[in-house]
């Protein structure tokens, strides 16, 4: 684990796994969260923004500025996920979603990037609409971003939205293609290393009985049920927290430089597919590091420990 504090901006569409990603980082002394922007995705923009506020409350981190971003993809109609339920964070008692101011995230991100003492890291956990808009409007800011960590895509495994496409990329393929083609250090965490990793029933039962642990247990009961129904997988999928863990402990990951593009022209079977150049003798424009493997045991332990620490801290307050 590196000892230097990492400044990060989180772009997210909570989402059970987004919520767990935020909780993993929220109290970590090695991470400074400069702000959070929301994007439509797992549910509508007002809902995911409401959910983000709920999660920041739960984490005692209402000091982190929260901004609403894009409410729809660049060119397409929006779609929402099914595994997170109607609210985007089913299983817990959320108050009604209030209307939010759309697109305020962009100017907040610009200010944060400009004012940061050192280049910051962006952790993108939802459709890439906000990020694509940001770099299109302000290409000059690219050099002030140290790394973009993206949860998205499926390289050599089936998709989770259609046969080949992963949800975040499927939601806004044009935005993903813009971001993939932006010259900036990037790490992609696709489905490949994520899908085999779940929080088991036993892991979930081992969560503490404090406010955070209990809330999470309720939320995960709904998430696990939906994952079983819609994906035929048993356990809580941990896509976004795995991406967040990359920030904390890159040594727990294996990566490979790749040339990855997005299929934006297909209206059919390959819509939203992420395609890596995998031919051995082909020319490549390596545009990102792609995670091929994560140390599952270290990740799960780190996640459970973070939740235990958070509840222990709450008890001592
Ligand atoms: C991604 O899609 C969303 O449902 C999750 O939050 C994650 O970011 C996985 O495909
Ligand atoms: Ca997400």
């Amino acid at each position: 684990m590196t000892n230097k504090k990492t400044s990060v901006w989180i772009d997210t569409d909570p989402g059970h796994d987004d919520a767990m990603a935020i909780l993993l980082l929220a109290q970590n002394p090695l991470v400074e969260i400069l702000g959070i922007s929301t994007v439509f995705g797992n549910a509508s923009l007002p809902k995911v923004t409401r959910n983000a506020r709920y999660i920041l409350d739960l984490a005692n981190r209402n000091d982190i500025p929260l901004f609403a971003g894009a409410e729809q993809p660049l060119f397409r109609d929006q779609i929402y996920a099914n595994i997170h339920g109607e609210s985007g964070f089913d299983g817990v008692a959320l108050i009604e979603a209030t209307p939010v101011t759309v697109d305020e995230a962009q100017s907040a991100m610009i200010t944060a990037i400009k004012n940061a003492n050192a280049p910051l890291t962006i952790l993108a956990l939802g459709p890439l609409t906000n990020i694509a808009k940001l770099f299109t409007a302000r290409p000059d800011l690219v050099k002030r971003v140290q790394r973009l960590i993206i949860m998205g895509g499926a390289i050599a495994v089936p998709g989770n939205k259609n046969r080949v496409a992963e949800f975040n990329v499927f939601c806004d393929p044009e935005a993903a293609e813009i971001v993939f083609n932006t010259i900036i250090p990037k790490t992609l965490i696709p489905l490949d290393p994520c899908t085999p990793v779940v929080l088991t029933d036993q892991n979930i039962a081992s969560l503490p009985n404090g406010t955070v642990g209990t809330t999470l247990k309720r939320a995960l009961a709904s998430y696990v049920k939906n994952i079983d129904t819609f994906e035929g997988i048993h356990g809580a999928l941990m896509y976004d927290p795995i991406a967040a863990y990359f920030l904390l402990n890159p040594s727990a990951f294996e990566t490979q430089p790749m040339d990855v593009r997005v299929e934006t022209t297909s209206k059919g079977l390959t819509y939203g597919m992420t395609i890596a150049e995998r031919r051995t003798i082909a020319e490549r424009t390596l545009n990102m590091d792609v995670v091929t493997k994560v140390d599952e045991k270290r990740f799960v332990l780190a996640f459970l420990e973070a939740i235990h620490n958070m509840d222990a801290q709450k008890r001592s307050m």
Side-chain angles (χ1 to χ4, degrees):
M1 195 174 293
T2 129
N3 284 325
K4 224 174 119 238
K5 204 164 178 152
T6 307
S7 297
V8 62
W9 184 281
I10 304 177
D11 190 70
T12 178
D13 61 332
H16 294 78
D17 59 329
D18 300 76
M20 291 190 277
I22 296 169
L23 292 174
L24 174 64
L25 299 182
Q27 297 286 356
N28 193 298
L30 297 175
V31 176
E32 183 189 15
I33 304 175
L34 299 177
I36 294 187
S37 48
T38 54
V39 58
F40 79 90
N42 285 324
S44 69
L45 186 72
K47 287 182 184 172
V48 297
T49 308
R50 176 265 322 263
N51 299 349
R53 171 59 62 215
Y54 178 93
I55 295 151
L56 288 176
D57 255 345
L58 185 65
N60 275 345
R61 289 303 314 266
N62 263 321
D63 56 305
I64 298 173
L66 173 66
F67 303 93
E71 69 176 338
Q72 56 190 33
L74 295 182
F75 306 112
R76 315 275 181 161
D77 293 332
Q78 69 266 54
I79 52 134
Y80 303 125
N82 39 29
I83 57 173
H84 304 277
E86 210 266 317
S87 71
F89 193 39
D90 271 15
V92 295
L94 299 153
I95 49 159
E96 262 317 286
T98 46
V100 294
T101 313
V102 175
D103 265 347
E104 57 175 10
Q106 184 164 311
S107 60
M109 288 168 100
I110 291 172
T111 309
I113 295 171
K114 279 198 330 205
N115 292 349
N117 295 331
L120 55 75
T121 299
I122 298 177
L123 176 63
L125 304 176
L128 288 162
T129 321
N130 289 342
I131 315 294
K133 282 180 157 184
L134 172 74
F135 293 142
T136 304
R138 293 296 303 266
D140 58 305
L141 293 182
V142 160
K143 58 181 182 303
R144 297 206 39 88
V145 175
Q146 188 176 49
R147 183 163 288 269
L148 180 56
I149 300 173
I150 303 165
M151 192 286 128
I155 303 297
V157 296
N160 63 355
K161 187 56 204 169
N162 65 18
R163 294 179 186 201
V164 289
E166 180 277 334
F167 179 80
N168 288 339
V169 173
F170 184 94
C171 279
D172 196 346
E174 282 82 7
E177 176 70 348
I178 290 173
V179 174
F180 285 13
N181 289 331
T182 302
I183 299 175
I184 191 169
K186 294 177 218 80
T187 300
L188 187 77
I189 291 96
L191 294 181
D192 309 49
C194 294
T195 313
V197 180
V198 291
L199 275 196
T200 61
D201 289 343
Q202 209 183 358
N203 295 145
I204 297 171
S206 79
L207 286 166
N209 290 325
T211 330
V212 183
T214 306
T215 307
L216 213 46
K217 278 189 251 192
R218 285 199 194 115
L220 292 181
S222 157
Y223 185 51
V224 166
K225 192 161 162 266
N226 286 336
I227 289 171
D228 210 355
T229 308
F230 295 109
E231 314 262 344
I233 294 172
H234 195 75
L237 286 160
M238 301 297 279
Y239 310 111
D240 293 341
I242 292 173
Y245 185 55
F246 185 82
L247 261 181
L248 301 178
N249 194 0
S251 73
F253 292 78
E254 285 174 25
T255 61
Q256 245 179 51
M258 288 192 199
D259 170 349
V260 187
R261 301 286 307 277
V262 182
E263 173 58 90
T264 55
T265 57
S266 161
K267 290 190 174 61
L269 292 174
T270 58
Y271 178 86
M273 181 179 190
T274 37
I275 302 154
E277 178 54 270
R278 297 165 71 205
R279 293 172 295 178
T280 40
I281 55 161
E283 263 184 44
R284 287 183 180 74
T285 307
L286 300 174
N287 59 354
M288 60 184 76
D289 293 325
V290 177
V291 168
T292 52
K293 203 168 184 312
V294 56
D295 185 327
E296 175 171 1
K297 275 201 185 122
R298 280 159 87 189
F299 161 71
V300 171
L301 250 165
F303 178 77
L304 296 175
E305 196 179 272
I307 305 302
H308 275 273
N309 288 345
M310 208 174 265
D311 264 337
Q313 203 181 8
K314 279 204 172 203
R315 271 199 309 277
S316 69
M317 279 167 71

